[in-house]
Amino acid sequence: MNTKLQILQGAGQIGGNIVLIEGEKSRLIIDFGIPLTELDGNPTDLKLSDERVKKYLPDIPDLYKDKQEKETLIFVSHAHPDHFGLLRYVDKSIPIYTMKITKDLIEKGSKLLYNNLFDDLNLVEIRETIHTPDFMVDGFPVDHSVAGACAFRITDKKSKKDILYSGDLRCHGRSNIETELFVKYNTDPDYLILEGTTLSREETETKTEEDIENEMASIFSEDKMSIVCCSPLNIDRIVSVYNACKRADKTFVIDPYTAYILETFRGTDLPNYKSENIKVYCVPNSQSEKIFENPKNKKFGHNKIAFDDIMANPNQYVIKDNFKIAESITARMSLDEINLVYSYWEGYLEDESYRWHNYINQLKQVHTSGHIAKSDLIKLVKDLRPKKIIPIHTLASEKFKEYFGDKVVELNKDNILEIK
């Protein structure tokens, strides 16, 4: 039996990637996500009903039972729900391999963000090459808008062919060296499954995180409070906000989940909840307060700040947005007194159910993509020199053919590629 490769989900759409690679005695599933269109303009919202989400579960034999006829391994590229959000349904005995940071983010996020939906997954840290009867799999860190992102190299033992899976990556973040090293050590693959998120967007100048920091420092220097809407998983962006606060002599107020994310990276030069110019706000009676501020675990201590203290001198603070604190602040202050800084992809704002949609005319949008720019994607392909390219995570697969010609092989759930 030749190895078979299918794109079960993720072809012709953004997010929701599910790739199946099946050999004679074992099979690999690469990512297992919810399509971005189901996340209601909120990329961390997984409080979705079974009825709404189960329609995306692929028909993979035995995947949801307690026993598989073939050895089954799942690999997750990073901790964004459009790449892991369906994992709660798979058989709990199946090992799910990912980088340590991604493992930590999913496990802790389950308690703080995802209603404990992912508490009992069999998550395993990738420390070395993973072997099955048919495959060898290696993970390679890459630059993306969430820490811990990786790409995978899958080697088919029978054909000796190499398949690269890019996951989501970019070349313009603070960790761009990781993408460069991934390319350096993986040239001349037989197949490259490549994201093309930005190919459907108008080409603009790509900002660096240093550009973002400079823009935010200018905004924060105004004699106003600022509320920043950004992902706590985007460590690059959190660092940019923190550095901009220091330059503007403002105090950065974060929520407990952001504090946890920063603490996960202790030992580096990143800020944490004990750093100068940082305070932690716990919403009273919230789940976060119950976890972190119970009598047995007074975690934040003197670094905690009360809402009334913020309101006593609001212009001294830059607030990491979450629903409760933003709602409380906007109930006490007019929008003319606040800089609303939006640091997500602007496409989320088109969803009328998204709470920031109502403020679209007041927002100061300061953002750079977590995905590879078109010019960088073209260079990446040139440097990798793949024999064949399979588009994924894109609304513009036709652009792949425009740029890469007959190297492009379009797959979806209805066709199968045999690896010979």
Side-chain angles (χ1 to χ4, degrees):
M1 170 186 170
N2 292 324
T3 292
K4 297 179 180 180
L5 170 62
Q6 282 181 280
I7 308 295
L8 297 180
Q9 195 169 259
Q13 67 182 46
I14 302 295
N17 287 18
I18 303 176
V19 177
L20 175 64
I21 304 175
E22 188 162 9
E24 185 175 356
K25 296 181 179 179
S26 56
R27 63 186 178 184
L28 311 177
I29 296 168
I30 315 296
D31 281 339
F32 208 64
I34 297 173
L36 211 56
T37 52
E38 287 294 333
L39 296 177
D40 289 337
N42 184 347
T44 61
D45 183 7
L46 288 183
K47 304 176 185 67
L48 304 175
S49 68
D50 284 345
E51 179 182 3
R52 181 173 173 182
V53 172
K54 277 189 171 181
K55 62 185 177 183
Y56 295 106
L57 291 174
D59 184 15
I60 300 177
D62 305 325
L63 186 66
Y64 315 105
K65 299 179 180 180
D66 59 1
K67 186 177 181 181
Q68 290 76 47
E69 291 187 8
K70 286 186 176 181
E71 181 180 353
T72 302
L73 283 69
I74 299 175
F75 291 82
V76 173
S77 62
H78 61 283
H80 277 154
D82 62 319
H83 291 259
F84 78 85
L86 293 174
L87 287 177
R88 57 176 143 151
Y89 299 106
V90 304
D91 170 30
K92 305 308 178 186
S93 69
I94 296 174
I96 301 167
Y97 289 91
T98 191
M99 294 298 188
K100 182 182 186 306
I101 293 171
T102 300
K103 176 178 180 292
D104 290 343
L105 293 178
I106 294 175
E107 288 177 340
K108 296 299 181 181
S110 180
K111 292 179 174 60
L112 293 170
L113 294 180
Y114 307 135
N115 286 355
N116 300 97
L117 292 175
F118 303 93
D119 281 358
D120 54 356
L121 297 181
N122 186 10
L123 291 166
V124 183
E125 177 188 349
I126 297 175
R127 296 182 178 179
E128 56 190 5
T129 301
I130 309 301
H131 288 267
T132 77
D134 303 292
F135 308 108
M136 297 185 297
V137 185
D138 291 281
F140 297 86
V142 293
D143 180 28
H144 184 40
S145 57
V146 60
C150 72
F152 296 111
R153 180 179 68 216
I154 301 99
T155 302
D156 178 32
K157 291 180 178 179
K158 181 177 179 181
S159 68
K160 310 301 181 186
K161 298 290 180 67
D162 284 331
I163 304 165
L164 291 187
Y165 175 81
S166 74
D168 292 357
L169 79 175
R170 63 179 181 178
C171 301
H172 56 271
R174 297 183 189 272
S175 302
N176 61 326
I177 185 64
E178 292 182 338
T179 302
E180 293 175 13
L181 291 173
F182 161 66
V183 172
K184 179 179 178 180
Y185 293 113
N186 288 285
T187 53
D188 302 303
D190 296 282
Y191 299 94
L192 171 61
I193 304 173
L194 180 62
E195 76 123 310
T197 309
T198 62
L199 294 184
S200 59
R201 303 172 187 172
E202 184 178 346
E203 179 79 339
T204 58
E205 182 180 354
T206 302
K207 296 179 182 178
T208 66
E209 282 299 325
E210 287 73 19
D211 295 329
I212 299 299
E213 179 183 319
N214 290 336
E215 288 185 43
M216 288 188 175
S218 177
I219 294 170
F220 298 165
S221 294
E222 297 179 18
D223 191 24
K224 287 185 175 184
M225 171 188 278
S226 294
I227 299 177
V228 180
C229 181
C230 66
S231 170
L233 300 178
N234 189 341
I235 296 297
D236 278 6
R237 194 60 41 80
I238 295 296
V239 170
S240 295
V241 176
Y242 174 70
N243 289 346
C245 285
K246 290 198 339 184
R247 290 167 57 180
D249 195 24
K250 297 290 179 73
T251 298
F252 187 23
V253 178
I254 60 177
D255 55 51
Y257 183 62
T258 304
Y260 165 75
I261 297 301
L262 293 175
E263 193 175 21
T264 299
F265 295 89
R266 279 191 307 179
T268 71
D269 58 355
L270 296 176
N272 61 62
Y273 70 88
K274 296 180 181 179
S275 297
E276 183 184 6
N277 290 70
I278 286 187
K279 295 290 184 182
V280 181
Y281 173 70
C282 290
V283 176
N285 302 315
S286 66
Q287 185 177 11
S288 294
E289 185 175 61
K290 291 173 184 176
I291 291 173
F292 291 117
E293 292 298 293
N294 64 66
K296 295 182 180 179
N297 182 23
K298 290 285 186 179
K299 188 172 185 66
F300 300 124
H302 296 298
N303 303 96
K304 188 178 175 182
I305 191 169
F307 183 75
D308 287 344
D309 292 332
I310 296 172
M311 289 295 96
N313 190 14
N315 295 357
Q316 179 56 40
Y317 298 103
V318 173
I319 311 296
K320 162 66 184 69
D321 167 62
N322 65 49
F323 177 75
K324 289 295 185 181
I325 193 169
E327 183 182 56
S328 299
I329 290 170
T330 52
R332 294 269 295 270
M333 299 176 65
S334 73
L335 292 181
D336 292 338
E337 300 174 286
I338 306 169
N339 282 320
L340 297 177
V341 182
Y342 185 79
S343 198
Y344 276 115
W345 175 50
E346 63 183 9
Y348 294 132
L349 294 169
E350 298 174 5
D351 187 337
E352 294 183 3
S353 66
Y354 185 34
R355 63 191 179 89
W356 285 104
H357 173 83
N358 296 328
Y359 300 101
I360 193 167
N361 294 326
Q362 285 82 34
L363 297 181
K364 297 185 177 184
Q365 297 189 38
V366 185
H367 183 58
T368 190
S369 178
H371 298 273
I372 189 167
K374 180 175 73 173
S375 57
D376 288 331
L377 184 143
I378 292 171
K379 182 179 184 302
L380 180 141
V381 170
K382 180 180 178 181
D383 292 342
L384 277 174
R385 303 187 300 273
K387 296 179 178 64
K388 296 293 182 182
I389 301 170
I390 301 169
I392 199 170
H393 208 289
T394 184
L395 297 174
S397 55
E398 74 281 356
K399 293 286 187 180
F400 276 78
K401 290 190 174 180
E402 179 181 333
Y403 299 133
F404 309 123
D406 57 9
K407 284 189 174 186
V408 177
V409 178
E410 290 194 62
L411 296 182
N412 56 48
K413 65 180 180 179
D414 298 319
N415 56 354
I416 298 173
L417 177 67
E418 289 197 22
I419 308 296
K420 303 178 181 179

